[in-house]
Amino acid sequence: MAQLTLVIGNRNYSSWSLRAWTALKHLGVAFDEVLIPLDQPDTHERMDAFGPSGRVPVLRAGDVAVWDSLAICEYAAELTGRGWPRERAARAVARSVAAEMHSGFQTLRTLWPMNARARNRRTATPAALSADVERIDELWNDCRHRFGAGGPWLFGAEYGIADAMYAPVVLRFTLYAVALPAPARAYADAVLALPALAAWIADARTEREVLPQFQK
Ligand SMILES: N[C@@H](CCC(=O)N[C@@H](CS)C(=O)NCC(=O)O)C(=O)O
């Protein structure tokens, strides 16, 4: 099989990159990495060499470009046979919560940009933002309650694509000091204890770029 290359943005800011990266890591997919800092004069020229969307992440497998975080996760699931729960009903819910993240939570994503190395940000919390937080708490709780008995992850013992999709949300909840109910807190703590995520954050701290639009 062709060597895989994952193209990502700044570790500090690129939440979609983190989703694809953490999924590949936890599914045991080996890949090289190319990091293209966002919002630089040559950013789009560099991205265009890897994929057609002008965005990252992009996974390259030889001539094949897989752009968009969820498509990359699906590609990794096909390669490994892992990433989604084995049982059909659980798999349907896992796909639903991953899709809900991918297409939704616009207010949270806009008002609370990811900033992996920052701490103790405080913002106003309009109703739409609280509604996003409450919905995420509800869906984590539902997955943990119905499917999570075998381990710490949304669907139990195996860290999967649904978990990867919410990894940047855990960082946002930490950054903006969201007071979570105990089950969601326990889930977020399990995510924060992951060595791969700690390595991502440590590398984010070494990045020098400061992008004002993410500094809310
Ligand atoms: N739906 C895409 C979103 C990708 C995306 O918006 N990536 C941002 C970085 S987190 C990007 O490449 N922005 C570059 C730009 O807009 O100039 C996915 O899931 O991968």
Side-chain angles (χ1 to χ4, degrees):
M1 196 191 72
Q3 171 65 40
L4 299 179
T5 301
L6 182 69
V7 187
I8 61 173
N10 314 55
R11 278 181 158 76
N12 195 48
Y13 298 118
S14 183
S15 59
W16 295 109
S17 298
L18 170 57
R19 292 180 172 98
W21 184 92
T22 197
L24 294 183
K25 286 281 175 197
H26 286 104
L27 297 184
V29 177
F31 60 96
D32 293 330
E33 201 178 288
V34 171
L35 191 154
I36 302 177
L38 302 174
D39 277 355
Q40 306 301 308
D42 62 348
T43 296
H44 281 113
E45 191 185 329
R46 293 184 64 192
M47 285 180 181
D48 289 348
F50 294 99
S53 67
R55 290 173 186 266
V56 287
V58 177
L59 183 71
R60 292 295 307 221
D63 289 342
V64 178
V66 188
W67 64 94
D68 196 288
S69 56
L70 198 47
I72 294 168
C73 290
E74 291 286 9
Y75 192 84
E78 285 192 17
L79 284 180
T80 61
R82 298 174 51 209
W84 298 116
R86 279 182 200 87
E87 199 264 317
R88 180 176 292 150
R91 196 162 61 247
V93 175
R95 286 201 160 108
S96 299
V97 300
E100 187 173 351
M101 180 69 247
H102 192 252
S103 63
F105 302 120
Q106 195 60 47
T107 306
L108 178 131
R109 281 161 40 201
T110 305
L111 296 184
W112 283 356
M114 187 178 96
N115 188 328
R117 64 181 173 237
R119 287 289 169 274
N120 297 319
R121 291 267 157 83
R122 295 291 185 279
T123 66
T125 312
L129 181 55
S130 298
D132 278 357
V133 172
E134 280 163 27
R135 172 62 195 139
I136 290 167
D137 172 47
E138 179 182 65
L139 77 81
W140 285 358
N141 210 21
D142 179 48
C143 294
R144 293 282 309 131
H145 184 71
R146 283 201 283 160
F147 306 107
W153 309 119
L154 292 176
F155 292 86
E158 269 205 58
Y159 184 98
I161 291 168
D163 299 289
M165 293 305 286
Y166 286 87
V169 172
V170 171
L171 294 188
R172 286 168 157 115
F173 283 178
T174 304
L175 171 57
Y176 296 98
V178 177
L180 292 169
R185 183 70 267 151
Y187 173 69
D189 287 345
V191 173
L192 292 169
L194 285 168
L197 187 62
W200 175 279
I201 295 168
D203 285 344
R205 289 187 205 284
T206 70
E207 294 173 350
R208 297 276 69 91
E209 297 86 8
V210 175
L211 302 182
Q213 67 273 36
F214 294 103
Q215 300 290 335
K216 297 193 182 178

